[in-house]
């Protein structure tokens, strides 16, 4: 199916909608939807779209899209009213009194946040998207209405200015098409992708569409021959089946051509002939047993490519999709890409959670054996619950949206727990993603993992079919380096949340130590502040509480010296400051080497206990410790307020990184000898680099 960027689709009239509704709804329900149409038409009276047509034609078209999915009365009323709160003076309360609370909640969930002012368009979009996804947790029909709304908008995008077209198309490809895919709504996903691609790259789309039409015309006889051969063999085996040709879509072809060859070390992209050298067929049968019988038949006709076989019937895709996939060698020089499924599987594959009436969702969850698309909806409910957890740990809407985009990554790997439970994870997921998929506490306290009973690194990428076991310890906690290889949105969100909490706690403790050091000349400390002194600091520095002020000092966002200067006798504050004395001199800040993530040791000079050291307060990073002889210290002296007098604690225990340079003869086994010597000293090698020299001794 190819989508040309031509004139907009024909207008949908109220009579067209009613004719369609009468095919599956009762007369009373149709009248209620018609009443919603009149209410919406009156509210939008005088408003026009960018195309110049009356605005009401947009809600009508959205409702018609949903009616073709056979959606329920409340969803269709919400579709007709979906822009009421956002674009008119009608309130949510008014909608609730007219059409009920559920319809009002659906409309509110789809509406953007217009009452809050944001600094950028991106922040506004992210906040509105976050609001919509939270509403999805209460009622999945919110996103169904939004997808239909976006589908009609992308069909009529030609009336928008070019900049808006590109913005909407890009947002559709990044967010709404993946959501449709995640919900199993394949037909909606394909049209969103194709129209968005045609909007962003009209020339590329047109060239690809023309080439595909030519290719199909040339290969008609070949496709017919392959199809006839399979049909004849199935008839001989008494298997009823419907074989249809699958069309490749331009967006998918474009993305496949952009993918670099995995098997070739040369950095090349795939050519058009490589991604189209395939005859794609779909075989629809009556039962699951017939699916596997057909698989055996086609494998006897043509030789299969073993690594391309996928059994999504035994192990469903994360969106509930089921089919057998296999790729075969044909005698015509083409590969044959075959999908085998039942009609019920096909309905779910195309329509996802809308394959059957969405209003029966709760009933089906209670009686799963009565629902053919129970798995799709159960997985959707689990996904929405996961999104809610991510939202609770995200610091802002932009971070939440970033994590959701990661979670919408389409490919998955399937791995097993030691108890045999299957977990779906994003492609490229590592052992740490597996740990967080089991439970947050398992991820936070993970210390090691086993894959197929062999110990592996936490950064090891998982492969489908592996059995993964996680080892934990009560003392363990997330490491910032995990963010370098964690892939799943859940894992990344919880690691970030933990580190932010840990960073805040460390910042408060470090800030208190730094402020106490600067308060020492005034015979003061944080613990000795009276209520009047506390109140003055909070008012002066515009913070809500003392911990917030200490955290800002610890993070380097405020200078402890400036805060302490508020108590200098010369300062014009109403608080009686203690007098400076010669005896109360400022003492250096004592460094233990284990303060946490906000006391860092500079890589340029690698300070270790015994070195003379200085501290530099770095914005957002806390205190960076350098040796006094470091070449960077002279630069830091230009900001003396950020320099900090520090010294080592007398009793230290722990490990510190140092750089060691060794000049050795280049001979066999020398590196092993050095590593053994270092290990015998109970030390460990973090990193090794070597360079050769022409020097000969």
């Amino acid at each position: 199916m190819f989508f040309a960027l031509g004139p907009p689709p024909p207008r949908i009239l109220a009579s067209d909608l009613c004719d369609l509704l009468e095919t599956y709804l009762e007369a009373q329900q149709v009248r209620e939807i018609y009443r919603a149409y009149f209410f919406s038409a009156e509210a939008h009276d005088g408003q026009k779209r960018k195309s110049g047509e009356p605005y009401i034609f947009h809600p009508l078209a959205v409702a018609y899209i949903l009616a073709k999915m056979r959606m329920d009365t409340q969803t269709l009323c919400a579709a007709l009213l979906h822009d009421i709160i956002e674009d008119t003076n009608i309130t949510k309360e008014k909608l609730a009194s007219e059409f009920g609370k559920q319809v009002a909640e659906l409309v509110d969930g789809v509406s953007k946040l217009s009452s809050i002012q944001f600094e950028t368009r991106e922040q506004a979009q992210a906040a509105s998207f976050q609001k919509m996804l939270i509403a999805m947790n209460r009622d999945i029909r919110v996103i169904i209405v939004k997808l239909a709304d976006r589908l009609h908008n992308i069909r009529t995008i030609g009336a928008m200015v070019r900049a808006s077209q590109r913005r909407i198309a890009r947002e559709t490809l990044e967010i709404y098409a993946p959501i449709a895919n995640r919900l199993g709504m394949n037909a909606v996903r394909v049209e969103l992708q194709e129209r968005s691609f045609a909007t962003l790259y009209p020339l590329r789309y047109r060239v690809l569409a023309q080439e595909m039409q030519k290719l199909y015309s040339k290969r008609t006889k070949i496709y017919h021959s392959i199809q006839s051969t399979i049909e004849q063999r199935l008839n001989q085996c008494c298997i009823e089946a419907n074989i249809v040709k699958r069309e490749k879509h331009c967006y998918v072809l474009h993305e496949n051509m952009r993918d670099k060859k995995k098997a070739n070390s040369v950095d090349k992209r795939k050519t058009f002939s490589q991604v189209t050298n395939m005859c794609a067929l779909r075989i629809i049968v009556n039962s699951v047993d017939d699916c596997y019988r057909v698989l055996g038949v086609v494998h006897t006709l043509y030789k299969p490519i073993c690594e391309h076989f996928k059994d999504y019937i035994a192990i469903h895709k994360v969106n509930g999709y089921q089919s057998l996939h296999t790729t075969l060698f044909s005698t015509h020089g083409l590969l044959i890409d075959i999908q085998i499924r039942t009609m019920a599987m096909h309905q779910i594959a195309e329509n996802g959670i809308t394959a059957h009436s969405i209003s029966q969702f709760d009933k089906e969850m209670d009686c799963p054996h009565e629902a053919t698309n129970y798995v799709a909806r159960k997985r959707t409910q689990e996904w929405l619950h996961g999104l809610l957890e991510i939202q609770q740990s995200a610091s802002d809407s932009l971070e939440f949206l970033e994590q959701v985009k990661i979670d919408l990554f389409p490919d998955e790997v399937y791995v097993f727990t030691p108890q045999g439970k299957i977990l779906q994870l994003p492609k490229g997921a590592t052992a740490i993603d597996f740990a967080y998929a089991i439970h947050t506490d398992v991820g936070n306290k993970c210390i090691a993992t086993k894959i197929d009973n062999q110990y592996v690194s936490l950064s090891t990428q998982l492969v489908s079919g592996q059995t993964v076991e996680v080892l934990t310890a009560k003392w363990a906690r997330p490491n910032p380096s995990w963010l370098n290889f964690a892939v799943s949105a859940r894992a990344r969100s919880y690691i970030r949340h933990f580190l932010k909490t840990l960073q805040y706690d460390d910042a408060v403790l470090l800030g208190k130590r730094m402020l106490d050091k600067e308060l020492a000349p005034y015979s003061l400390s944080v613990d000795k502040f009276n209520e009047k002194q506390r109140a003055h600091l909070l008012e002066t520095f515009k913070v809500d509480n003392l911990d917030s002020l200490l955290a800002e000092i610890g993070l380097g966002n405020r200078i402890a010296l400036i805060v302490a200067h508020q108590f200098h006798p010369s300062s014009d504050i109403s608080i009686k400051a203690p007098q400076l004395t010669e005896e109360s001199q400022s003492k250096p800040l004592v460094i233990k080497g284990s303060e946490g993530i906000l006391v860092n040791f500079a890589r340029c000079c690698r300070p270790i206990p015994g070195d003379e050291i200085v501290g530099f307060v770095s914005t957002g990073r806390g205190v960076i410790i350098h040796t006094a002889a470091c070449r960077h210290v002279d630069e830091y002296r230009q900001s003396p307020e950020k320099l900090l007098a520090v010294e080592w604690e007398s009793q230290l225990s722990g490990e510190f990184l140092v750089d060691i340079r060794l000049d050795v003869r280049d001979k066999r086994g020398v590196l092993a000898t050095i590593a053994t010597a270092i290990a015998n000293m109970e030390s460990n090698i973090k990193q090794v680099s070597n360079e050769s020299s022409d020097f000969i001794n």
Side-chain angles (χ1 to χ4, degrees), residues 2 78 122 160 263 323 334 370 383 387 425 447 485 497 531 610:
F2 302 111
E122 289 74 17
M160 305 288 289
S323 280
L334 292 177
E370 298 178 2
W383 174 60
L387 289 184
L425 295 169
I447 57 171
F485 50 80
H497 178 70
E531 289 302 320

Side-chain angles (χ1 to χ4, degrees), residues 88-298:
T88 74
N89 295 324
I90 305 296
T91 64
K92 179 181 175 181
E93 290 72 22
K94 175 66 174 175
L95 278 183
S97 66
E98 288 285 339
F99 298 98
K101 183 179 179 181
Q102 282 191 312
V103 172
E105 290 289 346
L106 287 173
V107 175
D108 182 58
V110 178
S111 301
K112 296 177 183 176
L113 289 170
S114 56
S115 58
I116 303 175
Q117 297 298 319
F118 296 94
E119 294 182 3
T120 64
R121 178 190 292 272
E122 289 74 17
Q123 289 178 335
Q125 288 176 333
S128 295
F129 183 73
Q130 184 177 20
K131 169 179 174 284
M132 181 185 68
L133 286 183
I134 293 172
M136 283 168 56
N137 273 280
R138 296 191 295 268
D139 196 329
I140 188 61
R141 293 176 294 181
V142 168
I143 191 59
I144 307 299
V145 175
K146 185 61 181 179
L147 287 173
D149 171 50
R150 179 52 61 110
L151 184 56
H152 185 251
N153 281 336
I154 208 76
R155 285 175 177 175
T156 57
I157 200 171
M160 305 288 289
V161 298
R162 185 59 183 155
S164 296
Q165 288 183 18
R166 295 183 64 85
R167 174 180 57 80
I168 293 170
R170 189 171 290 108
E171 182 184 62
T172 301
L173 284 177
E174 291 179 354
I175 299 175
Y176 291 102
I179 287 179
N181 182 59
R182 188 59 181 74
L183 299 179
M185 300 170 64
N186 186 60
V188 174
R189 172 191 65 84
V190 167
E191 186 170 353
L192 288 176
Q193 287 179 337
E194 291 295 282
R195 291 189 181 276
S196 298
F197 176 51
T199 300
L200 283 172
Y201 307 105
L203 180 58
R204 296 185 193 181
Y205 180 85
R206 192 160 55 247
V207 169
L208 278 174
Q210 290 172 353
E211 290 300 315
M212 287 302 298
Q213 292 285 16
K214 293 178 184 177
L215 198 63
Y216 285 145
S217 298
K218 288 180 180 179
R219 293 180 177 174
T220 300
K221 291 183 179 180
I222 297 177
Y223 291 163
H224 180 71
S225 173
I226 294 173
Q227 185 173 337
S228 297
T229 302
I230 296 175
E231 284 177 344
Q232 291 173 8
R233 182 59 63 89
L234 291 178
N235 288 335
Q236 293 173 4
C237 297
C238 300
I239 301 175
E240 294 184 12
N242 180 27
I243 304 177
V244 294
K245 185 182 71 175
R246 293 188 295 117
E247 291 183 347
K248 293 290 185 179
H249 303 289
C250 292
Y251 175 75
V252 175
L253 286 174
H254 179 259
E255 292 303 297
N256 288 342
M257 288 170 66
R258 291 179 63 186
D259 288 341
K260 294 172 183 176
K261 299 179 188 177
K262 297 178 181 177
N264 197 334
S265 59
V266 181
D267 187 10
K268 293 182 180 179
R269 299 191 184 278
K270 296 177 182 177
T271 63
F272 178 78
S273 60
Q274 285 176 311
V275 298
T276 57
N277 187 35
M278 188 172 290
C279 169
L281 300 174
R282 179 177 294 127
I283 304 176
I284 300 175
V285 295
N286 296 325
S287 67
V288 174
D289 183 59
D290 284 345
C291 289
Y292 290 99
R293 291 178 64 199
V294 169
L295 180 68
V297 169
V298 297

Side-chain angles (χ1 to χ4, degrees), residues 458-473:
L458 292 178
S459 61
T460 303
Q461 289 193 1
L462 304 178
V463 178
S464 291
Q466 292 176 328
T467 299
V468 186
E469 182 182 355
V470 180
L471 306 180
T472 61

Side-chain angles (χ1 to χ4, degrees), residues 312-328:
Y312 292 120
I313 295 179
I315 302 177
H316 307 175
K317 276 194 172 185
V318 72
N319 59 8
Y321 173 91
Q322 290 181 279
S323 280
L324 295 178
H325 289 197
T326 186
T327 303
L328 315 168

